[in-house]
Amino acid sequence: MLAFIIFIVTLVLVIWQPKGLGIGWSALSGALVALAFGVVQLSDVAVVWDIVWDATFTFVALIIISLILDRVGFFGWAALHVARLGNGQGRLLFPMIVILGAFISAFFANDGAALLLTPIVIAILLRLNFSPPSALAFIIATGFIADTASLPLVTSNLVNIVSANYFDIGFGRYAAVMVPVNIVSVIATLAVLWVVYARQIPTQYSIANLSTPASAIEDPLVFKAAFPLLALLLVAYFATESLGVPISLVTGAAALVLMAIAGRWWQGGRDAVVSVPDVVRNAPWQIVLFSIGMYLVVYGLGNAGLTAYGAQILNWLGQQGNIIATVGTGFLSAIVASIMNNMPSTLVGALAIDSAQVPAATRELMIYANVIGNDLGPKFTPIGSLATLLWLHVLAEKDYKISWGQYMKIGLLITPPVLLATLLALVFWLPHVSGL
């Protein structure tokens, strides 16, 4: 009961953020209280740090890369290209925006997609003079695709990194399983969004007020360097997998190279368009504290019996056949994530799967189902993921108010069919790559 109370109070503080209290400080305070009352031990700190450090610093490096590219106009350039390629047809623009969001989420993580693409899409919608209902359809699509398309790579979501590290899944193996599954998720998301919002999508729009894509580029040197650097980063993920090089080290090296180019370090900062110190200051350092703090609080829940209870449920699911085991694990993870946020939910699921007594093939399905549930399931509620909270914050800054009630109506309508289709795709696909 004490572990549960500490968790609830910590979660409330993380969501509420009274007087601007950072999520990291709230989570760390909860961890310190858990330590003080013996809910977790000092030895647990080392265990939790070993689970989260690589994921946390990979995320920070990816956000630094994303922030630099955003400030030099990379994402604005891409969005303007998409708007022009839509050729004035709203029903062509809608899927193109969704696909753009899927690519950004895949390569720059779901939080990057929610944080960076949303204001750009809003700006373009204003230029196109879309009505409020039409604009809302595109905004909702942008917010949802950020999470539902965050499956394909280990680096596409903090959940993926934690899970891959915990279960020792290599970058290539993970991609072989999840890239096809992610394609199904994107198609299902687009299909459901289309059914819900097709009537709000304008048939025609004028591109007369749109700027040229080239006008969005603030720093041509960084812009031109981005393409080969990102390609090299992707190759490096695969190439260093067998060497056991941490993903954060590879991503951090790419971030340093981009920082050097943006900051013109070889010429003492002259002619730099982007303030690298400002970017570093604005990086999500609170996530570092949040990761260690919140995971410690959740680890305390595990020590108090939550892991054992979860393992019992998974043992029962494992006896019902692979389809039920996979779908059940995915929806269970989704529900837990939507209540307690997907970051702590990921660890709860991983600990429970690790303790469950199920066949190896079923266990692997559960591992990936836990990832899918924690990537997609948070869309049930506004508190399910940091990406959603960031997205709502960006919307509020742009005077787009979506209440929690409105959000949950949308989330409960869109998420279940997408989650079900994605989990079924996993059941079908995983046996085909079992020998890889």
Side-chain angles (χ1 to χ4, degrees):
M1 181 59 68
L2 179 59
F4 181 73
I5 292 171
I6 293 172
F7 169 75
I8 291 297
V9 172
T10 304
L11 185 62
V12 168
L13 289 174
V14 166
I15 296 167
W16 181 25
Q17 296 182 37
K19 296 184 179 180
L21 182 67
I23 60 172
W25 297 119
S26 298
L28 197 59
S29 298
L32 291 174
V33 172
L35 277 168
F37 283 91
V39 173
V40 292
Q41 308 300 319
L42 280 175
S43 58
D44 294 331
V45 176
V47 174
V48 170
W49 179 248
D50 186 57
I51 294 171
V52 304
W53 74 268
D54 191 32
T56 302
F57 287 115
T58 299
F59 175 77
V60 171
L62 280 172
I63 291 297
I64 288 175
I65 291 171
S66 301
L67 288 172
I68 291 174
L69 293 181
D70 179 56
R71 295 190 184 191
V72 303
F74 185 87
F75 301 112
W77 169 86
L80 284 168
H81 260 299
V82 166
R84 288 183 170 275
L85 287 171
N87 199 30
Q89 300 178 48
R91 296 192 172 186
L92 177 58
L93 178 63
F94 187 78
M96 290 178 68
I97 288 290
V98 170
I99 293 169
L100 174 64
F103 273 103
I104 292 177
S105 181
F107 290 102
F108 299 99
N110 59 327
D111 299 278
L115 182 64
L116 303 174
L117 184 61
T118 302
I120 293 170
V121 169
I122 290 173
I124 289 176
L125 295 176
L126 290 173
R127 290 285 186 92
L128 297 176
N129 295 316
F130 278 12
S131 66
S134 296
L136 181 63
F138 283 84
I139 291 168
I140 293 295
T142 305
F144 270 77
I145 199 64
D147 278 330
T148 60
S150 66
L151 294 168
L153 305 177
V154 170
T155 52
S156 301
N157 195 314
L158 203 54
V159 165
N160 308 355
I161 309 173
V162 170
S163 301
N165 284 350
Y166 187 90
F167 293 106
D168 196 25
I169 303 171
F171 194 92
R173 168 66 181 181
Y174 180 94
V177 173
M178 290 300 237
V179 167
V181 172
N182 187 71
I183 292 172
V184 173
S185 179
V186 172
I187 293 172
T189 302
L190 181 55
V192 174
L193 287 169
W194 189 268
V195 169
V196 175
Y197 290 109
R199 293 181 180 179
Q200 282 75 45
I201 300 170
T203 54
Q204 301 289 327
Y205 65 91
S206 172
I207 62 174
N209 293 327
L210 283 179
S211 304
T212 61
S215 66
I217 301 172
E218 300 288 342
D219 189 331
L221 179 62
V222 176
F223 179 82
K224 292 176 182 177
F227 294 97
L229 180 63
L230 292 174
L232 185 61
L233 176 60
L234 187 59
V235 171
Y237 285 140
F238 288 98
T240 59
E241 175 186 342
S242 61
L243 302 175
V245 178
I247 291 177
S248 58
L249 185 61
V250 178
T251 315
L256 283 172
V257 171
L258 195 63
M259 289 163 63
I261 298 171
R264 306 297 198 275
W265 288 355
W266 64 90
Q267 57 186 35
R270 292 194 316 275
D271 303 322
V273 174
V274 176
S275 171
V276 172
D278 185 50
V279 169
V280 173
R281 279 195 299 271
N282 286 293
W285 297 111
Q286 283 283 321
I287 293 293
V288 178
L289 300 179
F290 175 84
S291 292
I292 186 68
M294 201 67 189
Y295 274 109
L296 269 173
V297 172
V298 171
Y299 204 81
L301 278 176
N303 290 342
L306 184 61
T307 297
Y309 183 67
Q312 290 176 12
I313 297 174
L314 294 180
N315 285 335
W316 181 84
L317 287 172
Q319 297 169 9
Q320 312 308 311
N322 283 343
I323 293 177
I324 298 298
T326 304
V327 173
T329 301
F331 271 87
L332 180 63
S333 299
I335 293 168
V336 174
S338 65
I339 295 171
M340 69 159 54
N341 188 272
N342 66 338
M343 292 306 298
S345 171
T346 300
L347 183 59
V348 170
L351 292 171
I353 292 168
D354 208 23
S355 300
Q357 302 299 314
V358 294
T362 304
R363 181 177 183 270
E364 188 174 21
L365 281 167
M366 286 180 167
I367 290 169
Y368 287 107
N370 185 51
V371 172
I372 292 170
N374 282 294
D375 279 359
L376 277 61
K379 306 312 286 185
F380 282 134
T381 67
I383 65 171
S385 73
L386 292 177
T388 300
L389 293 172
L390 279 172
W391 178 70
L392 290 171
H393 177 69
V394 170
L395 291 184
E397 288 187 333
K398 301 293 181 181
D399 294 324
Y400 283 87
K401 305 290 184 181
I402 297 179
S403 70
W404 281 31
Q406 288 175 308
Y407 180 90
M408 288 187 67
K409 286 180 182 178
I410 298 168
L412 291 171
L413 178 65
I414 294 174
T415 308
V418 177
L419 180 57
L420 178 60
T422 307
L423 289 167
L424 291 176
L426 173 66
V427 177
F428 169 79
W429 177 248
L430 185 58
H432 289 78
V433 292
S434 59
L436 294 179

